[in-house]
Amino acid sequence: MRCTEQTIVNEDRLTALLEAVGPHRIKILEHPVYERLNTLDDVRAFMGSHVFAVWDFMCLLKALQRKLTCVDVPWIPVGDKETRRLINEIVLAEESDEMTPGSFQSHYEMYRTAMETCGASSEAIDTLMDALRRGASMEESLLCSAIPDHVRAFSGATARVIQGEKIHAIAGAFTIGRESTIPSMFRELVRRLRGRHPKELSVLVDYLDRHIELDDEHHGPMAMKMLSNLCGDSDEKWKEATAAAIDALTARHILWDGVCKNLKAH
């Protein structure tokens, strides 16, 4: 099959994947959690759970980097050139973004700063980080009693797709479950938060704005191309990538349901 013909076939397969995940994606975008963030305490409770999504996004990204670029010594060039560029570019932005001239930090660290600025509890995520630093695995660290069940279910789904080591499935969870969905999801959050408690929520809004800018305008389209390249002409890979994307979106819905339940509790 000629290159142009293969490109058309892959575009059709990508369209079919997007149609399959569409209803699950809509459920995330129309979730009532966004309408529930009415007070500063609501936002604090939300952030205590959402920070885990910020953390395990990096786990997905690093799993892709480990598989699609060379992180060993001696170094040799591996994989598709455009995919290497995409992964390394996203890692640069996520792990050491330039927030102000000459000032760099990861988006996880920025989110932790946002939590401190608005007074959100970091007990659960700090407990997980302590366990990881002591050498616990991703799965083991999620068993900490301080971590809510809905968070454990969400990040547990991420851990499973990573442990499966099927790079096209990881890319499906990353591209559809995160990169292509995050901008629309965050626009709703920014719309509701901007102007409310500007002092306490300024860092959070900056974080959300940054992700909209990066994911929607640049990283999202590049990730779609990466996913298409990784699945290629394999029907089985497209099927597994679709299933991984749906699992990621389902896990996000469980996370949002848990957040809403916590909001009712307080």
Side-chain angles (χ1 to χ4, degrees), residues 4 44 82 110 113 195 228:
T4 53
R44 288 167 176 156
E82 290 186 358
M110 183 182 186
T113 299
S228 182

Side-chain angles (χ1 to χ4, degrees), residues 135-152:
S137 68
M138 188 174 179
E139 295 90 339
E140 290 168 341
S141 67
L142 289 168
L143 296 176
C144 298
S145 60
I147 297 174
D149 289 342
H150 62 279
V151 170
R152 188 176 296 112

Side-chain angles (χ1 to χ4, degrees), residues 7-24:
T7 299
I8 292 172
V9 170
N10 282 356
E11 287 178 353
D12 289 343
R13 285 176 166 137
L14 183 58
T15 298
L17 181 152
L18 293 175
E19 289 177 352
V21 304
H24 302 274

